[in-house]
């Protein structure tokens, strides 16, 4: 196993409540994930990131943690987690957990026993706004007679990282899981850990609204990431720090890799998810990211997650041809791809009627969190979120060699076979309007036509290794490459 194993890896995000239910109570669980490891190994993914699995009142479905070293009883036990880690490892799959350092649940014992771990003020001190609800980020607490800060829901008080006793608590939490064989963490709101010590007002920019300059994105946060990186590197193999550093400012985002490459190992590239599936928009974003990244930094590409919803809907409007273009892109850009459960099926947003909405956010993120359809029957009994449409499901697509699932599996296998597809430099190639093409190292060219007209690319030589339409694979290209609308090709170059 190479040191920085994540650079060659394909990551897979599991939303535990919605992935697989082992005991038929309608809520997915850890034993369910273990039962489906065979599927994940067959698909070819290298690591699984689990959204928070800890005890939580579930105001924000696990992102309001009340015990960082426990397991939520809905999801199982610590033994179930240990079993998942060891059975996954036996199949060559690593397990990542989700670390939530910005805030806890108000039900966390710290909130009453260690109020000094939180941010308090006698009066509302500034204009900071809560992300959930949009009102003031300060809430009056009767018991203390003071206001506390909550950048997210009222039930999610922000931690005060200026208190020097907070950092050692989190180092203890990191070690607890690393010692159990957890391969790393996805770090929730990795850009927000510290808040301005003076609690200055966030600036309001006319026409653009509020900029979270003081409530988030403080320079001191970098020191914490550096400390965690040092800690992660005391393990063998080093543990992975994958950050949700949610900045759309490419320079600011690139800063989370550390000036000396000593902070995050991977950071999600949210800029791409804010672009349409459009060649001009996306190649511009990728060029900006490539230009801004420190030489040794590695981005993490995704098109879906539990917050932003499903790429098959947002980027492709349910069109499987365009879903495959998006998957081909995510798996062949320079960086580490992270699939969200169901992406491999082309799963679209679920239908969640207003009466079934459980999310605290507005608009609801529930359509992107509906249960994984394992078969046409679904394989769920009265699930916590509705599973209305099972037309795209694992069993049927596994049996169909033309399916998006088989395409994704072949794409992952090809990425493994052609080392340049994961390790080679990204060089954009000339392409007509509507198309986007790039070379990866010396061994591969990827070409996507995201427009409405057929396009022709020139000067490409090699053998067609994979196409989104599954036609022409194995054919030789000597110069000209014709691409119909909504199609993509990977050429193994000579
Ligand atoms: C992150 C999570 C999101 C959660 C929020 C607050 O953005 O991805 O699901 O609601 O943090 O913890």
């Amino acid at each position: 196993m190479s040191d920085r194993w994540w650079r060659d890896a394909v990551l897979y995000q599991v939303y535990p409540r919605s992935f697989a239910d082992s005991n038929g109570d309608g809520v997915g669980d850890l034993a369910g994930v273990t039962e489906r490891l065979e599927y994940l190994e067959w698909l070819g993914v290298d690591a699984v990131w689990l959204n928070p699995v800890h005890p939580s009142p579930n105001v924000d479905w696990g992102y309001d943690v009340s015990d960082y070293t426990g397991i939520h009883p809905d999801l199982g036990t610590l033994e179930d987690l240990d079993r998942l880690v060891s059975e996954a490892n036996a199949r060559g799959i690593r397990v990542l957990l989700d670390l939530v350092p910005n805030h806890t649940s108000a039900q966390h014992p710290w909130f009453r026993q260690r109020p000094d771990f939180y941010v308090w003020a006698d009066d509302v001190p500034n204009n900071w706004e809560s992300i959930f609800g949009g009102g003031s980020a300060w809430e009056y607490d009767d018991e203390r007679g003071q206001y506390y800060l909550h950048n997210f829901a009222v039930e999610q008080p922000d931690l005060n990282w200026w208190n020097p006793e907070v950092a050692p608590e989190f180092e203890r939490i990191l070690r607890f899981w690393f010692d159990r064989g957890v391969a790393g963490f996805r770090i929730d709101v990795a850009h927000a850990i510290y808040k301005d010590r003076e609690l200055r007002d966030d600036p309001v920019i006319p026409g653009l609204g509020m900029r979270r300059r003081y409530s988030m994105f403080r320079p001191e946060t970098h020191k914490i990431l550096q400390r965690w990186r040092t800690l992660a590197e005391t393990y063998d193999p080093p543990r992975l720090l994958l950050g949700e550093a949610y900045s759309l400012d490419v320079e600011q985002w690139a800063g989370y890799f550390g000036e000396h490459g000593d902070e995050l190992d991977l950071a999600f590239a949210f800029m791409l998810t804010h672009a349409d599936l459009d060649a001009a928009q996306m190649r511009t974003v990728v060029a900006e990211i490539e230009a801004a990244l420190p030489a040794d930094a590695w981005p993490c590409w995704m098109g879906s997650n539990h917050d932003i919803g499903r790429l098959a809907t947002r980027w492709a409007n349910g069109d499987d041809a365009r879903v495959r273009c998006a998957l081909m892109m995510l798996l062949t850009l320079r960086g580490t791809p992270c699939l969200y459960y169901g992406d491999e099926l082309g799963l679209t947003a679920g239908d969640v009627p207003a009466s079934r909405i459980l999310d605290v956010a507005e608009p609801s993120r529930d359509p992107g969190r509906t249960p994984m359809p394992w078969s046409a029957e679904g394989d769920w009994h009265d699930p916590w979120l509705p599973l209305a449409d099972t037309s795209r499901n694992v069993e049927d697509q596994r049996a169909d060699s033309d399916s998006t699932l088989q395409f994704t599996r072949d794409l992952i296998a090809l990425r493994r076979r052609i080392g340049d597809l994961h390790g080679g430099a990204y060089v954009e190639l000339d392409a007509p309007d509507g198309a986007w093409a790039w070379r990866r190292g010396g061994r591969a060219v990827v070409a996507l036509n995201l427009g409405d007209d057929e396009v022709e690319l020139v000067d490409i030589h090699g053998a067609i290794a994979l196409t989104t339409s599954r036609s022409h694979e194995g054919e030789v290209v000597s110069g000209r490459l014709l691409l119909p609308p909504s199609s993509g090709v990977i050429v193994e170059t000579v």
Side-chain angles (χ1 to χ4, degrees):
M1 289 184 193
S2 92
D3 248 359
R4 292 188 289 181
W5 55 270
W6 49 85
R7 293 194 168 213
D8 306 334
V10 175
L11 311 182
Y12 186 95
Q13 178 188 353
V14 163
Y15 197 73
R17 298 182 70 84
S18 294
F19 190 63
D21 178 9
S22 71
N23 58 6
D25 66 355
V27 176
D29 45 47
L30 296 175
V33 183
T34 305
E35 283 174 6
R36 298 294 179 171
L37 285 170
E38 179 276 334
Y39 168 71
L40 296 173
E41 184 185 8
W42 171 85
L43 181 60
V45 302
D46 302 282
V48 171
W49 149 38
L50 303 173
N51 289 96
V53 294
H54 310 304
S56 163
N58 281 339
V59 169
D60 191 15
W61 298 105
Y63 285 98
D64 45 328
V65 178
S66 55
D67 172 6
Y68 286 91
T69 52
I71 299 292
H72 197 295
D74 285 357
L75 306 180
T77 62
L78 206 49
E79 290 68 42
D80 291 330
L81 195 271
D82 288 342
R83 193 168 316 118
L84 170 57
V85 169
S86 81
E87 294 197 19
N89 289 354
R91 293 176 185 271
I93 297 174
R94 308 185 198 238
V95 176
L96 308 170
L97 296 185
D98 207 315
L99 183 73
V100 188
N102 181 69
H103 47 267
T104 69
S105 162
Q107 302 296 316
H108 194 294
W110 287 341
F111 193 56
R112 292 298 167 205
Q113 291 164 17
R114 294 302 307 262
D116 56 315
F117 277 14
Y118 297 84
V119 188
W120 298 93
D122 291 335
D123 295 300
V124 173
N126 57 30
N127 67 352
W128 297 358
E129 283 180 1
S130 151
I131 287 181
F132 298 144
S136 170
W138 297 91
E139 180 75 5
Y140 188 72
D141 177 52
D142 284 330
E143 212 171 306
R144 244 178 106 81
Q146 276 190 313
Y147 291 83
Y148 66 86
L149 174 67
H150 63 91
N151 267 309
F152 292 89
V154 169
E155 297 87 347
Q156 292 169 298
D158 278 53
L159 285 162
N160 176 16
W161 281 81
W162 290 103
N163 181 334
E165 289 181 58
V166 171
E169 289 291 341
F170 273 83
E171 281 163 26
R172 189 180 56 76
I173 294 163
L174 261 73
R175 281 207 186 84
F176 177 87
W177 293 110
F178 290 166
D179 290 344
R180 293 191 102 83
V182 165
F185 280 107
R186 175 264 190 188
I187 302 168
D188 191 56
V189 280
H191 53 277
I193 300 171
Y194 266 89
K195 328 284 122 64
D196 183 45
R197 191 169 212 165
E198 297 163 42
L199 305 178
R200 282 171 279 189
D201 271 354
D202 274 334
V204 180
I205 303 188
L208 289 174
M210 190 167 283
R211 288 282 157 270
R212 295 186 191 273
R213 184 182 300 163
Y214 295 110
S215 53
M216 296 186 174
F217 298 107
R218 300 311 300 155
E220 295 82 8
T221 294
H222 293 279
K223 291 201 197 84
I224 294 297
L225 298 177
Q226 285 159 12
R227 282 175 68 163
W228 292 348
R229 177 69 175 272
T230 305
L231 195 160
E233 290 191 348
T234 61
Y235 286 80
D236 181 23
R239 303 310 198 233
L240 165 62
L241 302 181
L242 159 61
E244 184 203 28
Y246 205 137
S247 172
L248 300 180
D249 173 332
V250 181
E251 296 293 333
Q252 185 180 51
W253 172 78
Y256 288 96
F257 291 91
E259 251 176 73
H260 307 286
D262 54 357
E263 296 181 31
L264 296 176
D265 298 296
L266 294 175
F268 287 115
F270 282 96
M271 307 67 130
L272 191 74
T273 69
H274 281 251
D276 297 329
L277 189 62
D278 168 273
Q281 286 186 39
M282 286 195 161
R283 70 168 158 237
T284 307
V285 171
V286 171
E288 283 169 8
I289 290 175
E290 285 281 341
L293 280 184
D296 200 31
W298 214 243
C300 186
W301 305 107
M302 83 301 190
S304 310
N305 74 21
H306 63 291
D307 295 325
I308 64 173
R310 297 202 166 273
L311 69 85
T313 298
R314 206 186 56 257
W315 275 344
N317 202 17
D319 175 355
D320 285 303
R322 292 180 71 77
V323 170
R324 293 182 191 196
C325 291
L327 292 168
M328 186 175 269
M329 166 191 69
L330 293 172
L331 279 124
T332 62
L333 289 173
R334 187 183 69 85
T336 298
C338 183
L339 298 175
Y340 185 48
Y341 77 101
D343 276 351
E344 70 276 24
L345 307 171
L347 202 64
T348 52
D351 185 14
V352 183
S355 62
R356 295 285 305 269
I357 285 177
L358 297 173
D359 187 21
V360 62
E362 227 5 299
S364 165
R365 298 167 290 185
D366 290 339
R369 301 174 173 183
T370 51
M372 179 78 161
W374 290 102
S375 66
E377 294 73 44
D379 278 10
W380 287 84
H381 176 70
D382 194 14
W384 74 295
L385 284 177
L387 175 54
D389 176 6
T390 58
S391 56
R392 293 179 173 89
N393 69 71
V394 173
E395 188 176 70
D396 290 349
Q397 291 203 25
R398 224 171 142 163
D400 173 5
S401 58
D402 280 337
S403 67
T404 297
L405 175 59
Q406 294 280 355
F407 167 80
T408 309
R409 179 171 185 252
D410 291 346
L411 182 56
I412 293 173
L414 184 67
R415 183 184 150 89
R416 183 157 300 129
R417 181 170 75 69
I418 304 180
D420 271 355
L421 275 180
H422 51 82
Y426 168 90
V427 179
E428 194 187 319
L429 301 177
D430 283 341
D433 279 356
W436 175 21
W438 60 92
R439 184 178 291 288
R440 291 298 313 279
R443 289 279 316 285
V445 164
V446 183
L448 298 176
N449 181 2
L450 302 173
D452 297 328
D453 302 312
E454 183 177 80
V455 296
E456 179 183 298
L457 287 102
V458 292
D459 209 18
I460 296 180
H461 299 269
I464 295 186
L466 186 73
T467 66
T468 52
S469 63
R470 308 313 307 260
S471 56
H472 305 289
E473 289 175 5
E475 290 179 13
V476 169
V477 187
S478 331
R480 291 173 63 223
L481 179 66
L482 282 180
L483 280 183
S486 299
S487 73
V489 170
I490 300 175
V491 177
E492 188 169 5
T493 51
V494 283

